[in-house]
Amino acid sequence: MTTLLWNPQRPSPMPYHRYRPFHERVHVPVTDRGWPAARIERAPLWVPVDLRDGNQALAEPMDTARKRRLFDLLVRTGFKEIEVGYPSASRADFDFVRHLVTAGAVPEDVTPVVFTPARRDLIDRTFDAIEGMPRAVVHLYIATSPVWREVVLRRDRAEVLRTVREAAAHMARRAGDAPGIRFQFSPETYNLTEPDFVLELCDGLTELWDASPDRPVTHNLPATVEIATPNVYADQIEYAHRQLARRDSVILSVHPHNDRGTGVACAELAVLAGAQRVEGCLFGNGERTGNVDLVTLALNLFAQGVDPMVDLGDIDAVRDTVEECNRLPVHPRHPYAGELVHTAFSGTHQDAISKGLAEHARRAAESGVPDSQAPWSVPYLPVDPADLGRTYEAVIRVNSQSGKGGSAYLLRTHHGVDLPEGMRPGFARLVQEVTDTSGREVTPKELYDLFRTAYLSNGADGEVRLDSWSAHEEAPGRHRFVCTLHTGGRTGDHEGAGPGLLTAFADALTGAGHATEILEVTGGGAYAFAECRVNGTTVWGAAEDPSPPAAAVGAVLSAVNRAAGR
C-alpha cells in the first residue's frame, strides 16, 4: 500500500475483508447516464407506508385507534395513495382495512394500497379485506436476488418466475373486471438482483395484467438493504426506466431503505433517473435504520422552490401525531422537524441569522410585501421556520458557545431592548461568565434579569444617586443642569453647563468628583444607552423611562455607577 504523506491514518484491525463491494455482487449495465444532468421540477407521487412497513418495525404495533389517527393525518396532509396494511399478516391489519371500508373513512380521491406475498391463500385473504373498497392497489412482492433465492426461498430463477406469474394470474382473477383495482409488483432486494431477471419479471406482469396508460401497473424497485453509494441505485433505476416494456403503462416506483444512511439521496437520485413514485415513512420510521424519510424529501423540494404537493405547514402537529402513534421520538436534530433544527447556539451563527432576519424585513418593506411573502434568503436557515408553522422564539438560544449577537437578538425580540452594537460585547462577556459557571443555557427571562441587574439597577441603586434634577436652556446652545446627588456617603447640590442636556449633566458629575465625558448616546422605545468615559474608564450604561430625556440621564448615571463599581 502506498503511504500518503498528507493522510496519517493507518490500517484498522476491523475485518473489512469479509465484505464484498457492490460491483462484485451486481452488474449495473448503464454507461450513458442521463440522471446527473437532470433536475427535479415536480414532486413524485409520495406513498407513505407508515401503516404497514413502518408499523411492522414498531416494538408496540399500532392498534386500530392509533392507525386511524395516523391515516387521518396522512389524508389531511394531502397524500393520495396510502399503503394501509398487510391484511394477511395479522388480525389487527385485516381488521383495520375492514374498518376503513365499513367506516367509509377513505376519501374519493385517495387510493389505499394493500400488501401481499406471492401465495394464493394470502392473496385471497388480502382481497377479502378490501371487499367493498371502490379503489385499491394490490401490491404483490417476492424476494428476487441470488442470496435470497438461495438462502431464504431455496428456488432458482425459473421457480421464482413461475411463482410470481401464478400469483399475479390469481390476483387478476380475483379482481375480475373491477375498474378500481390496480396492481403493483415489488421484486424485493431489487438492488441486488440481476437486471435482466428484473426486466423479465416486470415485463411479464405488465403484459399479464394488460397494463395501459389509463390503468397502469406500478413496478416498485426497492433498495431493500442499501449496498452501495446512491449513484449506483440511480444507475439501476435509469436502466429500468429505459428498458421496461410499455413504459407509458408503467408507474416506476422506488422504496429506499436507509442502511447506509443515504436513503434520502437514493430517492432523490432515483427521481432524477426516472422514478415517478416514492414509498417511505414520515420521519423515516422502519426496520433496521428505517425507510426513506418522506418529510425530508418533500421539504427538500420545498426549499428548492418546488411545490411538495403535500401540506407540512404545521410540522409540529404532524410530528406530535406521528410520535404518539409510533411511540417513538423524532430526533431533535431531524431535518426540518426536530426541536433544535432551527436553533443556533453558536455566536457566529446567531450574528448571521440576526442580521439576516433584519435584512429580510428591510427588503420586504422596501418591496411593499409582507415578510411572509418576500423571497427568503437568511444565513443558516434554508427555509423560513414560519412556513413550517414554527415561531422565531427558538431560532436563537444562548449558552456558553454563544456570542454577542444571540444575547442581543433575544433581548430585542423578547423584551424590546435593542442594545447598540458597541454595548453588545460587554454584555456578552457578562452572559459568558454566567453560562461558563452554570454550564447550561440561559432563558430570555434570565438574560433580561442579568441586563437589569448589570445596567438598570446601577442607575437607581448605585453608589451615585440622583435624588432630583432639572435642566433648562439658558441661551441657544447652552444648557444648565441642576441636581441633588448622593455620592461618597454625602448628599449635595451640584450644577453644570454644556451645549446639551447630557453634557451639562456630565459637567455636574465632574464637579462632584466623577470626571465624565459623553461618547455616545442612543435609544429606542423606553430605553436609552450611553457610552461614557468616567475617570478614564470607558463604560456603557442603560436606563428605562417613558421620558426620553429622563432615560438618557439615567443611562449616563448607570455608566458612572458601573465605572465606580469596577
Side-chain angles (χ1 to χ4, degrees), residues 7 18 67 118 136 146 169 210 252 269 294 325 336 351 493 502 516:
N7 187 344
R18 300 181 59 207
K67 283 187 177 183
D210 194 23
L252 180 55
L269 267 59
L294 294 187
C325 292
Y336 303 108
D351 184 59
D493 295 328
L502 296 183
T516 303

Side-chain angles (χ1 to χ4, degrees), residues 444-525:
K445 180 183 181 303
E446 289 170 331
L447 282 174
Y448 182 75
D449 289 344
L450 180 60
F451 167 75
R452 186 183 62 222
T453 300
Y455 294 93
L456 304 186
S457 296
N458 273 310
D461 306 317
E463 178 182 327
V464 182
R465 293 200 309 272
L466 186 60
D467 292 343
S468 64
W469 65 275
S470 64
H472 63 279
E473 190 172 13
E474 294 181 318
R478 181 172 177 81
H479 289 72
R480 181 162 296 279
F481 192 97
V482 179
C483 61
T484 301
L485 286 174
H486 181 87
T487 178
R490 299 174 59 183
T491 300
D493 295 328
H494 299 271
E495 62 179 72
L501 168 69
L502 296 183
T503 51
F505 179 38
D507 188 46
L509 288 166
T510 300
H514 303 281
T516 303
E517 179 186 355
I518 309 293
L519 301 178
E520 180 182 347
V521 177
T522 185

Side-chain angles (χ1 to χ4, degrees), residues 353-420:
I353 290 171
S354 179
K355 290 175 179 174
L357 290 172
E359 178 64 12
H360 174 75
R362 187 194 67 78
R363 289 179 179 176
E366 191 175 76
S367 302
V369 298
D371 285 10
S372 61
Q373 298 300 314
W376 182 256
S377 181
V378 173
Y380 295 111
L381 293 178
V383 298
D384 185 346
D387 287 338
L388 305 183
R390 293 279 184 85
T391 68
Y392 295 115
E393 184 172 342
V395 169
I396 291 177
R397 290 160 60 178
V398 172
N399 62 15
S400 61
Q401 303 301 307
S402 307
K404 61 183 186 297
S407 300
Y409 175 85
L410 291 180
L411 280 180
R412 182 176 70 252
T413 56
H414 288 269
H415 302 286
V417 180
D418 191 5
L419 297 182

Side-chain angles (χ1 to χ4, degrees), residues 14-25 227:
M14 298 186 69
Y16 60 89
H17 60 277
R18 300 181 59 207
Y19 303 95
R20 295 166 60 201
F22 80 90
H23 60 270
E24 294 180 5
R25 303 173 71 185
I227 61 158

